[in-house]
Amino acid sequence: MSKGALALLIHGGSDNWSPQRWQARFGEVCGDRPVVLLPDASLDPAEVHYAAVWKPVPGELAGFANLRVIFNLGAGVDALMADQTLPDVPLVRVAVDDLTSRMTEYVVLHVLMHHRQELYLRQSQREKRWAPKYQWAAGAIGVGIMGLGTLGADAADVLKRLGFRVAGWSRSEKRIDGIECFHGANQLDAFLKRTDILVSLLPLTPDTRHILKRDVFTKLNRTSPLGAPVLINAGRGGLQNEADILACLDDGTLGAVSLDVFGQEPLPPDSPFWTHPKVVLTPHNAADTDADAISRYVAAQIARFEQGGALENVVDRGRGY
């Protein structure tokens, strides 16, 4: 092999995560670089310099002694970070305009859905009931985004342009024009107090696991036109305490939720989330990865790296994202 091989290790159940589809795309953009779909018994592990992965089983990457970079094909890296055998090489998360735009579409769609009372209107349609309620302006609603990385900052900007009062909270201090920014544990309560619709785009780390719980929900604003606050989680399933969410929906602490992620996926058929009247459920497709955009992104990163350039979006293993 004239160039170090790119190994693909992909575990997924949907058409978009077909390993063969990803191999075809990488084969088109990687020139004469070998692209190998694992497992491959004929492959010499020493030839593998790069790996592009999605949900690898712990230990699957441990045998590649000459691995130089691991590229995670989705935004979340928590599954990889949990692998104690992961080679000590740069871990790169994808950050392309396509993925960012798709997440912003999802967040804006669901903020507008709750703002414009779509759950009530669709129920009225099913009951053939013509009974519109007063519709408040976007400026009456405070949207709070937890997580102000690339995805959160872009969603915040679009929501601000639609007229919502937007704030953000992050672990470390951020400054974004037109967005009220809070940071750290000491400023979390103030952020929650002004929030009517809470959007979670946080990474999953030991500090954020189950952060979406009753203690947080009770601190959200309860005097907005919505009546009870709304939760939108398009981050990671491990962020949410699902028992608390269901209990808070039932007792009125939360008015409604939109959930794209869950602790167990696919969501079991007997989960109460499927049929709860205050739940909008999507199958972890808020920002489904586009194979064309991501394969070009990885190929460009490898080419720049081999020419001595710096890798983009390298995960800080100490922080977990």
Side-chain angles (χ1 to χ4, degrees):
M1 294 183 180
S2 58
K3 292 185 176 181
L6 170 64
L8 304 183
L9 186 57
I10 298 169
H11 298 291
S14 66
D15 290 343
N16 190 48
W17 287 104
S18 162
Q20 291 74 23
R21 178 171 182 256
W22 283 91
Q23 184 181 29
R25 284 301 301 126
F26 274 111
E28 292 176 12
V29 299
C30 283
D32 59 351
R33 183 181 309 281
V35 177
V36 183
L37 188 62
L38 299 179
D40 185 338
S42 66
L43 175 67
D44 178 359
E47 299 287 354
V48 175
H49 289 183
Y50 306 97
V53 304
W54 179 242
K55 296 183 178 180
V57 174
E60 284 188 303
L61 292 170
F64 299 100
N66 293 328
L67 197 61
R68 301 174 70 186
V69 185
I70 300 169
F71 296 93
N72 191 56
L73 295 176
V77 297
D78 47 283
L80 272 171
M81 295 297 296
D83 183 357
Q84 298 299 313
T85 69
L86 197 67
D88 187 17
V89 300
L91 171 59
V92 174
R93 55 180 177 79
V94 299
V96 295
D97 291 344
D98 174 79
L99 186 149
T100 301
S101 296
R102 291 180 190 223
M103 182 59 81
T104 294
E105 288 175 358
Y106 182 93
V107 170
V108 172
L109 168 68
H110 285 263
V111 168
L112 287 172
M113 181 187 306
H114 296 291
H115 162 59
R116 294 302 299 259
Q117 307 176 77
E118 279 297 299
L119 272 67
Y120 168 76
L121 293 173
R122 298 289 69 78
Q123 181 64 32
S124 296
Q125 179 181 350
R126 289 189 292 271
E127 296 175 358
K128 302 179 182 179
R129 174 164 41 89
W130 191 277
K133 294 182 178 180
Y134 169 75
Q135 179 60 56
W136 49 85
I141 300 298
V143 179
I145 298 178
M146 300 181 83
L148 289 177
T150 302
L151 302 181
D154 191 72
D157 179 65
V158 174
L159 289 167
K160 176 194 68 176
R161 287 188 272 126
L162 288 173
F164 293 98
R165 294 182 290 107
V166 184
W169 179 85
S170 54
R171 172 180 170 176
S172 56
E173 186 175 5
K174 300 287 180 70
R175 294 185 179 181
I176 304 174
D177 288 345
I179 306 299
E180 187 178 8
C181 295
F182 299 80
H183 70 279
N186 292 337
Q187 295 184 12
L188 179 57
D189 285 2
F191 163 78
L192 296 172
K193 183 178 179 180
R194 51 85 60 216
T195 296
D196 306 313
I197 299 178
L198 180 65
V199 179
S200 175
L201 297 176
L202 290 167
L204 180 60
T205 70
D207 290 337
T208 62
R209 181 171 293 278
H210 292 169
I211 192 173
L212 302 176
K213 57 187 178 181
R214 179 177 288 277
D215 181 58
V216 163
F217 305 147
T218 57
K219 295 174 182 176
L220 295 168
N221 183 34
R222 310 199 66 79
T223 62
S224 79
L226 290 171
V230 170
L231 168 68
I232 300 170
N233 184 16
R236 309 297 292 170
L239 297 171
Q240 61 200 25
N241 182 317
E242 296 180 354
D244 277 8
I245 290 175
L246 289 165
C248 287
L249 286 171
D250 290 340
D251 67 20
T253 301
L254 289 173
V257 299
S258 288
L259 302 177
D260 184 56
V261 290
F262 299 89
Q264 180 181 348
E265 296 180 1
L267 190 65
D270 60 352
S271 170
F273 284 117
W274 285 110
T275 55
H276 199 290
K278 297 180 181 179
V279 174
V280 179
L281 182 157
T282 52
H284 202 151
N285 70 337
D288 215 359
T289 305
D290 176 68
D292 292 344
I294 298 303
S295 58
R296 289 193 298 268
Y297 169 84
V298 171
Q301 283 253 49
I302 291 175
R304 185 168 58 249
F305 178 72
E306 292 187 336
Q307 292 168 7
L311 294 165
E312 299 175 351
N313 301 304
V314 177
V315 172
D316 182 336
R317 295 203 187 195
R319 300 175 71 177
Y321 59 90

